[in-house]
């Protein structure tokens, strides 16, 4: 629990208000005749209204308050001033005729003053920005508020009609019937607004006290006809004093905290839903059941039935809007998921493309040296490696240019693919050097036959830039052994290839051109 700040604990006004509330409650319970409460209530209300007005205006004038806060607390100060005037008038009425009903519950001037003061605060709340970001949020708030107000109107109208303005005659009766429910609805609306607004123009403790004041005043005004009918006028008076005391305490707390700690709006953690409208619907049905059980079907029961129908219809509309919002959210979610899947697919495609570029030769599309060595390492020395180096390739580059040389390399890669097996790994290791890894174990004769076929395919003439060209191939073969590393196997194939090239150079009639497709095998 958050401790009360020290400036509040030391404030004599708040201390007096804390002592006043239990004293009034005890007095109302004990004073069955209402004489003590009646004598105490009006002067106390004068003092409380004065505290409300003074602290409201002080908060309004605080330089740290913004325009919205100044409008709200200026309205509270004005309402307190109107309450003060009506309470002073009513106190004079009480002093003139202490035993009259007007003196006990308030006459026309008092009722009109309470209504006007409450109206000032409600108008300020109406002009206070709700703090909702979207039209949908504002619509949900209005539906929730309307549902709660429908229940409050049902409750207030039923008890007003059934109990009437007992003991009040003439203009006082008319004013009571007109302003009583209006004050009650104003208080309930203020309570709903204070509870549902996401951004409030007061500190949390001040907001709690103002909500408490609105709730108590709403209940006291709504149940006033019933309390009068059953002779509990003192309860109604005590409830009014407690409500105004909570209002005065809220304005005092706001002033003290704003003065000591600067401006800080209350921003409670928002839930995506409110339980208030559902509680209101339950309340109307409970009320309907109770009325039917106690009094049976009476003309006034239609009020409760109508209230139940209206509140239920509002909740249905609220649920329909919620379903529509959920459907829109699901559509947005599906679109985001599809976009995410598309992004992931694009990411996977790019990753695959980058991996292919990292491990494949850009010119021929064959595996590069890094990928070939990875396959060698995974194969753990089994199978055979054929290392292929082109003969007569340099004269092609020197005579026809590098574009012709690239064309020759691509043509050689195509012929190697045609001669490779399904499980073979082909690679261009660099320059005019290629390699083939046979995953299947080969004998020396089988390896030489594979090499001869590949060399014969490479030696076939090819047309490059309108010229018929031929290149040869020297192929070194290394047959793997269990436990032999890939690097060792490739090194043996490299030695075998260079041995074949050397043998070709020493052959009679060698002129650096084409040589017969032969191969050297190292074991």
């Amino acid at each position: 629990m958050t401790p009360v700040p020290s400036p509040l604990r030391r404030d004599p006004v708040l201390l007096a208000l804390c002592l006043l509330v239990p004293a009034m409650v005890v007095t109302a319970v004990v004073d069955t005749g209402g004489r003590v409460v009646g004598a105490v209530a009006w002067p106390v209300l004068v003092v409380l209204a004065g505290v409300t007005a003074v602290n409201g205006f002080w908060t309004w004038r605080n330089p740290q308050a913004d325009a919205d806060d100044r409008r709200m607390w200026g309205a509270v100060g004005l309402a307190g001033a109107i309450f003060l005037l009506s309470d002073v008038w009513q106190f004079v009425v009480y002093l003139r005729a202490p035993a009259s009903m007007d003196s006990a519950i308030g006459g026309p001037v008092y009722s009109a003053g309470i209504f006007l003061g409450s109206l000032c605060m409600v108008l300020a709340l109406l002009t206070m920005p709700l703090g909702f970001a979207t039209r949908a949020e504002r619509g949900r708030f209005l539906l929730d508020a309307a549902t709660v107000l429908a229940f409050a109107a049902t409750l207030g109208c039923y008890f007003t009609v059934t109990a009437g303005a007992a003991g009040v005659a003439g203009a006082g009766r008319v004013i009571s019937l007109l302003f009583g429910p209006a004050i009650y609805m104003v208080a309930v609306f203020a309570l709903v607004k204070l509870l549902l607004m996401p951004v409030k123009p007061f500190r949390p403790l001040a907001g709690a006290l103002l909500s408490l004041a609105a709730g108590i005043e709403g209940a006291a005004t709504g149940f006033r006809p019933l309390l009068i009918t059953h002779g509990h006028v003192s309860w109604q008076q005590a409830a009014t004093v407690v409500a105004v005391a909570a209002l005065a305490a809220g304005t005092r707390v706001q002033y003290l905290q704003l003065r000591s700690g600067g401006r800080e709006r209350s921003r409670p953690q928002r839930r995506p839903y409110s339980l208030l409208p559902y509680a209101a619907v339950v309340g109307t049905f409970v009320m309907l059941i109770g009325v039917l059980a106690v009094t049976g079907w009476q003309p006034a029961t239609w009020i409760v039935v109508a209230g139940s129908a209206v509140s239920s219809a509002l909740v249905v509309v609220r649920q329909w809007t919620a379903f529509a919002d959920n459907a829109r959210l699901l559509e947005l979610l599906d679109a985001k998921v599809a976009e995410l899947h598309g992004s992931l697919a694009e990411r996977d495609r790019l990753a695959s493309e980058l991996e292919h570029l990292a491990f494949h030769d850009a010119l021929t599309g064959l595996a590069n040296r890094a990928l070939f060595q990875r396959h060698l390492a995974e194969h753990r020395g089994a199978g055979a490696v054929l290392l292929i180096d082109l003969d007569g390739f340099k004269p092609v580059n020197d005579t026809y240019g590098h574009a012709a040389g690239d064309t020759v390399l691509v043509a050689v890669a195509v012929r190697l693919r045609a001669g490779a097996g399904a499980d073979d790994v082909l690679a261009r290791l660099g320059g005019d050097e290629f390699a083939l890894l046979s995953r299947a174990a080969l004998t020396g004769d089988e390896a030489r036959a594979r090499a001869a076929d590949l060399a014969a395919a490479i030696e076939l003439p090819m047309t490059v830039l309108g010229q018929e060209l031929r290149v040869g191939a020297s192929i070194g073969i290394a047959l793997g052994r269990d436990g032999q590393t890939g690097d060792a196997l490739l090194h043996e194939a490299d030695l075998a290839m260079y041995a074949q090239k050397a043998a070709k150079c020493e052959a009679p009639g060698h002129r650096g051109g084409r040589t017969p497709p032969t191969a050297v095998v190292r074991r």
Side-chain angles (χ1 to χ4, degrees):
M1 182 176 179
T2 304
V4 178
S6 56
L8 303 185
R9 290 200 301 265
R10 294 194 299 264
D11 185 64
V13 175
L14 291 178
L15 180 61
L17 293 175
C18 291
L19 296 176
L20 172 65
V21 170
M24 286 301 302
V25 172
V26 172
T27 303
V29 173
V30 175
D31 184 24
T32 55
R35 296 181 180 274
V36 177
V37 174
V40 173
W42 299 118
V44 169
L45 286 173
V46 170
V47 175
L48 293 177
V51 172
T52 301
V54 170
N55 285 278
F57 284 128
W58 279 350
T59 304
W60 169 64
R61 295 184 61 186
N62 192 300
Q64 301 192 56
D66 67 2
D68 292 332
D69 292 349
R70 289 172 61 84
R71 181 166 54 250
M72 178 65 198
W73 289 102
V76 172
L78 179 60
I82 295 174
F83 293 157
L84 176 61
L85 293 175
S86 64
D87 290 337
V88 170
W89 177 275
Q90 186 60 38
F91 186 33
V92 173
V93 171
Y94 173 78
L95 293 176
R96 290 179 176 178
S100 67
M101 183 60 68
D102 277 352
S103 298
I105 64 173
V109 175
Y110 171 78
S111 298
I114 297 301
F115 175 74
L116 292 176
S118 301
L119 185 61
C120 286
M121 290 190 288
V122 168
L123 290 177
L125 280 172
L126 285 174
T127 58
M128 187 73 189
L130 293 174
F132 296 115
T134 64
R135 182 182 299 177
E137 289 182 338
R138 290 192 293 272
R140 288 193 292 269
F141 162 76
L142 292 175
L143 285 172
D144 290 345
T147 305
V148 178
L149 289 174
F151 166 68
T154 302
L155 196 67
C157 290
Y158 178 80
F159 286 120
T160 299
V161 170
T162 54
V168 183
R173 178 182 180 87
V174 176
I175 294 295
S176 178
L177 290 175
L178 288 178
F179 285 109
I183 297 171
Y184 166 63
M185 291 301 296
V186 164
V188 173
F189 176 78
L191 177 61
V192 172
K193 184 77 178 284
L194 292 175
L195 291 176
L196 296 183
M197 281 178 61
V199 180
K200 301 173 174 59
F202 39 69
R203 297 295 183 87
L205 180 56
L209 289 170
L210 294 179
S211 300
L212 179 64
I216 295 175
E217 180 60 25
T221 306
F223 286 96
R224 182 168 68 176
L226 187 65
L227 293 174
I228 294 173
T229 301
H230 290 82
H232 297 303
V233 177
S234 60
W235 292 10
Q236 196 273 334
Q237 293 172 322
T240 300
V241 172
V242 172
V244 179
L247 177 62
T251 58
R252 184 67 178 174
V253 167
Q254 179 71 17
Y255 167 70
L256 293 175
Q257 291 187 331
L258 189 63
R259 184 184 66 177
S260 62
R263 179 178 177 273
E264 177 187 351
R265 282 195 175 188
S266 173
R267 295 177 181 269
Q269 185 176 4
R270 293 172 60 186
R271 293 185 301 179
Y273 60 92
S274 172
L275 296 178
L276 276 178
Y278 303 100
V281 173
V282 172
T284 55
F285 281 102
V286 170
M287 182 179 176
L288 179 60
I289 294 172
V291 167
L292 292 174
V294 174
T295 64
W297 188 270
Q298 300 292 331
T301 309
W302 282 109
I303 298 175
V304 187
V305 173
S308 301
V310 171
S311 59
S312 299
L314 289 171
V315 167
V316 169
V317 174
R318 175 69 171 84
Q319 289 300 109
W320 178 82
T321 58
F323 292 149
D325 290 340
N326 290 340
R328 285 193 294 270
L329 289 176
L330 287 176
E331 290 177 359
L332 291 175
L333 180 61
D334 290 340
K336 289 294 183 182
V337 170
E339 181 180 349
L340 179 60
H341 279 309
S343 299
L344 292 176
E346 180 66 12
R347 184 203 65 182
D348 293 341
R349 185 191 67 79
L350 290 175
S352 178
E353 183 176 338
L354 289 175
E355 183 180 12
H356 186 274
L357 291 174
F359 292 103
H360 289 79
D361 177 52
L363 178 63
T364 63
L366 299 179
N368 61 15
R369 180 180 290 272
L371 184 56
F372 189 77
Q373 288 180 326
R374 179 191 294 181
H375 283 291
L376 279 176
E378 293 174 352
H379 206 50
R380 299 185 180 277
V385 170
L386 281 66
L387 191 61
I388 306 160
D389 189 79
L390 299 184
D391 298 330
F393 178 73
K394 186 175 182 300
V396 173
N397 267 339
D398 294 341
T399 304
Y400 301 102
H402 289 286
D406 289 346
T407 304
V408 170
L409 293 175
V410 172
V412 169
V414 171
R415 294 176 181 183
L416 289 176
R417 280 196 186 95
D423 293 333
D424 294 341
V425 178
L426 274 174
R428 181 191 174 201
L429 303 184
D432 61 343
E433 189 175 58
F434 298 83
L436 181 146
L437 170 64
S438 174
R439 298 178 187 273
L442 299 177
T443 64
D445 292 339
E446 291 172 338
R448 279 188 288 271
R450 292 285 302 277
D453 291 340
L454 293 176
I458 293 171
E459 195 176 73
L460 292 174
M462 61 184 74
T463 301
V464 177
L465 299 179
Q467 301 292 325
E468 183 176 286
L469 302 177
R470 288 193 179 189
V471 293
S474 296
I475 302 177
I477 301 172
L479 302 180
R481 302 180 300 276
D482 291 340
Q484 187 181 26
T485 64
D487 288 341
L489 186 60
L490 185 60
H491 180 66
E492 288 186 3
D494 191 52
L495 293 177
M497 185 270 296
Y498 278 108
Q500 186 189 20
K501 274 192 174 293
K504 290 180 180 179
C505 291
E506 295 173 358
H510 174 71
R511 297 180 181 178
R514 292 190 297 113
T515 57
T518 58
V520 175
V521 180
R522 293 183 65 89
R523 294 180 178 276

